[in-house]
Amino acid sequence: MAGRIMLLLLCLSLFPIPLQAELNDARHAVIQELFPSATVIEDKLEDFPVYPVYQLQQLLGYAYESTDLSRLQGFAGKPIRMMIGLDTKGRFTGVKVLDHHEPVFLHGLGEEPMFEFVDQYEGRSLREQIIVQSSNSSRSGKTSEGDVVYFDGVSKATVSVLIINDTVLSSGLKVARQKLEAFAQAAPTRARPDFFEPLDWNRLIERGFIGRATVPVESVEEKLGRPLSDYPADLNPADNEPFAELFFAYMNSPMVGRNLLGDDGYRRFMERLGENERVMLVGSRGVFPHVSPDFTPGSSPDRIGLVQNNLAVEMRDLNWLDQSLPLVAEGMPEFEAANLFRIGGNAGFNPGAESHLKLHIELARNHLISDSATFDLPVSFNEQLFETVEIAAPAESTREPVWVGLWKERWWQIALLVASLTVLTIVFAKQKTFSRHPKLLHRFRWGFLFFTLFFIGFYAQGQLSVVNIYTLLLAIWDGFSLDVFLLDPVIFILWTYTLITLFIWGRGLFCGWLCPFGALQEMAAWLGEKLRFRQIKVPEHWHRRLILLKYPILLGLVGTAFYSLTLAEQLAEIEPFKTSITLVFWRYWPFVAYAVGLLVIGMFIHKFYCRYLCPLGAGLAVLGRFRLFSWLERIDRCGSPCQHCKNECGINAIRKDGRIDYDECIQCLECVVILRDENQCVDSIIRNRQEQKQRAQILATDAAGA
């Protein structure tokens, strides 16, 4: 059976995928929307895939399809195809989504939230640093006179909007650097690895290896238009002291890093850095440091920004400066604040070229009115620190992948998930020991099911789906890249763990312990029993036929994915996971009625959906055939004459002859508990009675002999 299914899957994978025909008129109309005043839209250039757009003889900018310049895959394994307009000043004239396969937008939230998200790019510049916030964040829009723009994200679709943002920015930068003179790059440089001599703090500044900038009180008052005494906060520095004094240093350089951190500290610092990561130290003194008192370590600063080549450069705090990595340079002043910032992002960073720090000052006169001013602070270092790189690496290879930031942001979710999976693995590995304590095991199981439903499911959105199988097969077809699977760390970890344990214990570890909808079904079944609903036992001959239904469902879905991914995603609604777990039943009523209906049926027929309809369970069962162990212990009396385990198995995964049907078993461990319980296991009861009879006979014989 498994061999036939795998052969059929292989055959389906050879079906050709229909290509989408080009619609020149439709494309022209979309570009016209991006440039309403355009009178001429030229054909795509042969040397670079952009459409020049003119108003009479004046160049307005360029339109381009994102997939011509960026092939970053979306959540479903296919790129999100967009038409993007960029004017001659590096500003986006708009973004239009042409085609996508993001499940949460197509068959969940609807496409309107996606369109609203991309509408935020209109009028924004490549000179600005765009940060996607969660949808419930209070920080949105552009900081006053600053270069940081906060976009509203989309709840339940964080990965998709981050992919869109990365695609828009990376493709826009390629066009700007290729076609816009103002964004042309200087010759790339890097730190000289062999340039070092011991220097104290003052010598480093004197020789230009560390930069320094001051913002005097007079300049601040002039830009604000009023004296600092007009503000309730105490902002007057001591005599002859500046309002703010900033120091900045390129830490990758051995001349700088070794002198500031010491030899051992610099070695550990470089070991922690990624291959293409660049780090700048920013320290400040005065009444207005470069980060606010409520600055969150590990985030982007709100008071300063870095600009190079007319582009905003991403800055993100590393939160590394502590007792294990202190600054040790002799003569170094005491800072109000000091941070190591990872710099670069989509725009990249050329350490040997000039750049600017923008210090944004915002002071409140009262709770309603604030004044603001921005200062450009030149950043340049002694050219002795750097050497020219002959060939510049592509932007994709020098910037941090999207998934890296996602893993960092969700570090505590990852840690909690890994810890829980470790505990679960120990319980399964030691199941014979734990099964001797049925109450403890029972409480652990229900506690873990609640953890699976509320943390893994509702909070971390870790519901695996047959759509993930589409993603894998289509990624293999189009050119496999691990990056698309790393975009959701919780899903990636769960899939990795599930695939490993499939070959050890079979499908049941996921289906019985880690599936949020499976946990919800068990809770519905428990509620049905408490409400004294009549529990329906499906007759054995019907049960054996019905459990086969999920296999043709799986084959139909996978085959359809290679013909039409859109249709396959629509058919995947046979899974109620998106409605119940991803969207928490907040959806168009037929989908909610279907999901709730399955749960209601499950109150009468234990885990009805899992047993008969689940295509994901079918796929896992096929792979589970290759497990290494049939580890649920059986003994001679199991099935003949004892049927106790079979009668107690809610999912009916034990055959009449006592064998475990591992394709159906959810490994709840109840049969293991029964087998270890001398008061439940018929074999133990019979053996105990036989032993009692033997002891009685011995005692009777001894008494007669006496």
Side-chain angles (χ1 to χ4, degrees):
M1 178 68 177
R4 295 194 197 101
I5 291 174
M6 297 304 290
L7 179 61
L8 182 55
L9 287 174
L10 179 61
C11 293
L12 289 171
S13 69
L14 299 177
F15 289 170
I17 301 176
L19 298 176
Q20 184 173 356
E22 290 193 10
L23 299 174
N24 292 329
D25 291 342
R27 181 175 290 104
H28 186 281
V30 172
I31 296 175
Q32 190 72 58
E33 286 187 53
L34 297 176
F35 294 89
S37 60
T39 57
V40 178
I41 300 174
E42 294 188 349
D43 292 336
K44 185 187 295 184
L45 298 180
E46 293 184 1
D47 62 336
F48 196 72
V50 294
Y51 301 90
V53 181
Y54 293 86
Q55 184 181 32
L56 300 178
Q57 301 298 319
Q58 181 184 0
L59 178 66
L60 296 178
Y62 299 92
Y64 59 93
E65 287 192 36
S66 59
T67 48
D68 287 336
L69 297 166
S70 173
R71 297 294 296 178
L72 182 64
Q73 291 176 323
F75 195 73
K78 291 283 188 180
I80 300 171
R81 192 162 65 92
M82 296 171 282
M83 184 69 79
I84 302 171
L86 192 70
D87 69 15
T88 54
K89 295 182 179 179
R91 294 175 303 201
F92 293 107
T93 62
V95 176
K96 300 293 182 182
V97 178
L98 302 179
D99 183 54
H100 73 96
H101 296 278
E102 300 304 285
V104 72
F105 289 120
L106 284 174
H107 314 297
L109 300 172
E111 294 183 299
E112 192 61 32
M114 174 186 272
F115 299 152
E116 291 175 356
F117 176 79
V118 299
D119 285 345
Q120 296 177 92
Y121 288 97
E122 184 176 353
R124 297 304 184 191
S125 172
L126 284 170
R127 294 182 172 91
E128 298 168 333
Q129 179 186 345
I130 295 175
I131 298 175
V132 178
Q133 298 284 95
S134 60
S135 61
N136 59 358
S137 171
S138 60
R139 301 178 67 179
S140 60
K142 183 176 180 179
T143 57
S144 177
E145 297 187 32
D147 293 299
V148 179
V149 178
Y150 296 96
F151 275 14
D152 286 335
V154 180
S155 179
K156 308 291 185 182
T158 302
V159 172
S160 296
V161 296
L162 287 175
I163 291 170
I164 291 173
N165 187 56
D166 191 85
T167 301
V168 171
L169 295 182
S170 60
S171 59
L173 286 167
K174 288 180 181 179
V175 174
R177 285 170 172 164
Q178 185 76 19
K179 291 297 179 182
L180 304 183
E181 185 177 347
F183 294 88
Q185 290 179 285
T189 59
R190 64 186 175 198
R192 289 172 54 188
D194 56 351
F195 183 56
F196 173 76
E197 63 177 291
L199 295 175
D200 63 16
W201 177 265
N202 292 325
R203 292 289 300 279
L204 289 168
I205 291 179
E206 289 172 4
R207 294 178 60 175
F209 298 143
I210 294 179
R212 176 176 176 268
T214 60
V215 180
V217 171
E218 296 76 17
S219 299
V220 176
E221 292 180 333
E222 181 181 352
K223 281 208 171 188
L224 292 174
R226 62 184 63 251
L228 294 178
S229 57
D230 285 0
Y231 300 94
D234 185 10
L235 298 171
N236 289 295
D239 294 339
N240 300 321
E241 292 291 329
F243 181 78
E245 183 177 25
L246 275 68
F247 300 89
F248 34 87
Y250 185 63
M251 297 297 291
N252 296 60
S253 167
M255 175 65 77
V256 177
R258 285 179 63 183
N259 279 307
L260 293 186
L261 299 173
D263 290 343
D264 183 60
Y266 180 71
R267 177 186 56 78
R268 288 184 282 111
F269 166 78
M270 294 301 292
E271 287 175 352
R272 294 174 72 175
L273 280 186
E275 182 179 355
N276 294 303
E277 290 182 338
R278 298 169 175 85
V279 176
M280 182 180 290
L281 167 74
V282 179
S284 57
R285 298 190 300 175
V287 296
F288 196 86
H290 65 278
V291 292
S292 58
D294 58 352
F295 172 71
T296 303
S299 64
S300 298
D302 54 355
R303 287 185 175 180
I304 60 167
L306 184 62
V307 176
Q308 185 177 67
N309 194 40
N310 293 314
L311 297 173
V313 177
E314 181 182 347
M315 301 178 70
R316 185 167 290 274
D317 176 44
L318 290 172
N319 196 25
W320 285 1
L321 288 178
D322 52 28
Q323 293 180 351
S324 62
L325 192 69
L327 298 171
V328 296
E330 183 180 350
M332 184 180 63
E334 185 174 342
F335 295 125
E336 294 292 333
N339 300 85
L340 292 175
F341 292 107
R342 179 188 287 109
I343 50 179
N346 282 292
F349 182 72
N350 187 353
E354 289 189 0
S355 57
H356 290 81
L357 277 174
K358 285 184 172 289
L359 178 66
H360 177 63
I361 299 171
E362 185 167 359
L363 304 179
R365 275 189 270 162
N366 52 53
H367 67 285
L368 296 176
I369 302 175
S370 296
D371 298 322
S372 61
T374 300
F375 289 85
D376 285 336
L377 309 177
V379 175
S380 62
F381 303 107
N382 190 320
E383 61 183 16
Q384 291 180 287
L385 293 176
F386 309 105
E387 61 185 10
T388 302
V389 181
E390 293 184 2
I391 300 176
E396 285 80 359
S397 65
T398 58
R399 60 187 173 86
E400 186 178 82
V402 177
W403 67 265
V404 174
L406 289 169
W407 281 64
K408 290 175 181 176
E409 289 180 7
R410 301 181 70 179
W411 66 269
W412 73 267
Q413 296 179 31
I414 294 168
L416 182 56
L417 178 61
V418 171
S420 66
L421 295 179
T422 302
V423 172
L424 185 60
T425 303
I426 293 172
V427 170
F428 263 66
K430 300 288 186 181
Q431 51 94 11
K432 290 184 179 180
T433 302
F434 286 102
S435 62
R436 298 185 185 279
H437 307 279
K439 288 186 177 179
L440 176 64
L441 185 61
H442 185 76
R443 290 170 182 168
F444 173 78
R445 173 163 170 73
W446 275 100
F448 204 94
L449 289 177
F450 274 96
F451 173 81
T452 294
L453 177 61
F454 290 100
F455 175 76
I456 295 179
F458 291 146
Y459 185 81
Q461 293 292 290
Q463 174 71 67
L464 304 190
S465 166
V466 72
V467 176
N468 303 134
I469 299 177
Y470 301 167
T471 304
L472 174 62
L473 295 176
L474 292 173
I476 293 173
W477 178 273
D478 290 339
F480 182 78
S481 171
L482 190 61
D483 285 5
V484 67
F485 301 99
L486 292 167
L487 288 170
D488 191 318
V490 172
I491 294 290
F492 180 80
I493 292 170
L494 283 172
W495 264 118
T496 302
Y497 182 80
T498 299
L499 288 174
I500 292 172
T501 56
L502 271 176
F503 299 105
I504 301 175
W505 294 302
R507 67 166 276 206
L509 182 57
F510 169 77
C511 294
W513 295 78
L514 294 171
C515 178
F517 188 75
L520 193 57
Q521 285 186 98
E522 293 218 30
M523 294 173 189
W526 174 87
L527 182 60
E529 291 179 4
K530 291 299 179 182
L531 294 175
R532 298 184 179 180
F533 290 169
R534 178 172 170 264
Q535 298 301 297
I536 301 173
K537 290 283 187 180
V538 180
E540 187 70 19
H541 65 284
W542 278 110
H543 171 73
R544 289 296 152 192
R545 290 177 174 84
L546 290 173
I547 59 176
L548 299 177
L549 273 178
K550 53 184 175 285
Y551 295 99
I553 292 173
L554 170 67
L555 291 176
L557 291 174
V558 173
T560 304
F562 284 92
Y563 171 74
S564 169
L565 182 57
T566 300
L567 177 60
E569 288 166 345
Q570 293 171 342
L571 295 177
E573 290 296 342
I574 193 170
E575 291 183 331
F577 305 158
K578 190 184 303 171
T579 300
S580 59
I581 304 301
T582 305
L583 301 175
V584 198
F585 297 99
W586 188 257
R587 202 178 181 193
Y588 188 44
W589 72 264
F591 296 101
V592 176
Y594 172 66
V596 172
L598 289 175
L599 293 174
V600 171
I601 294 173
M603 298 174 77
F604 297 89
I605 303 175
H606 189 81
K607 300 195 79 164
F608 172 82
Y609 174 80
C610 287
R611 294 161 73 178
Y612 305 129
L613 298 177
C614 182
L616 177 62
L620 296 179
V622 171
L623 293 176
R625 291 282 183 97
F626 301 100
R627 70 187 181 279
L628 299 177
F629 309 108
S630 296
W631 60 279
L632 292 172
E633 186 179 350
R634 300 280 84 192
I635 56 178
D636 291 339
R637 287 192 172 93
C638 289
S640 178
C642 180
Q643 297 289 317
H644 185 39
C645 287
K646 175 175 175 56
N647 294 332
E648 291 296 320
C649 181
I651 204 165
N652 198 6
I654 301 178
R655 296 179 181 269
K656 287 186 176 181
D657 59 8
R659 289 179 296 135
I660 302 291
D661 186 352
Y662 282 89
D663 291 347
E664 302 302 315
C665 178
I666 62 168
Q667 297 178 9
C668 62
L669 303 182
E670 288 298 328
C671 61
V672 181
V673 170
I674 292 173
L675 197 63
R676 296 281 178 272
D677 191 339
E678 294 185 353
N679 296 319
Q680 293 193 70
C681 179
V682 171
D683 182 73
S684 298
I685 294 172
I686 292 174
R687 282 191 289 103
N688 289 337
R689 288 177 178 174
Q690 290 175 345
E691 290 175 1
Q692 290 175 1
K693 287 182 179 179
Q694 290 175 356
R695 285 197 297 268
Q697 289 174 356
I698 292 171
L699 291 174
T701 302
D702 290 343

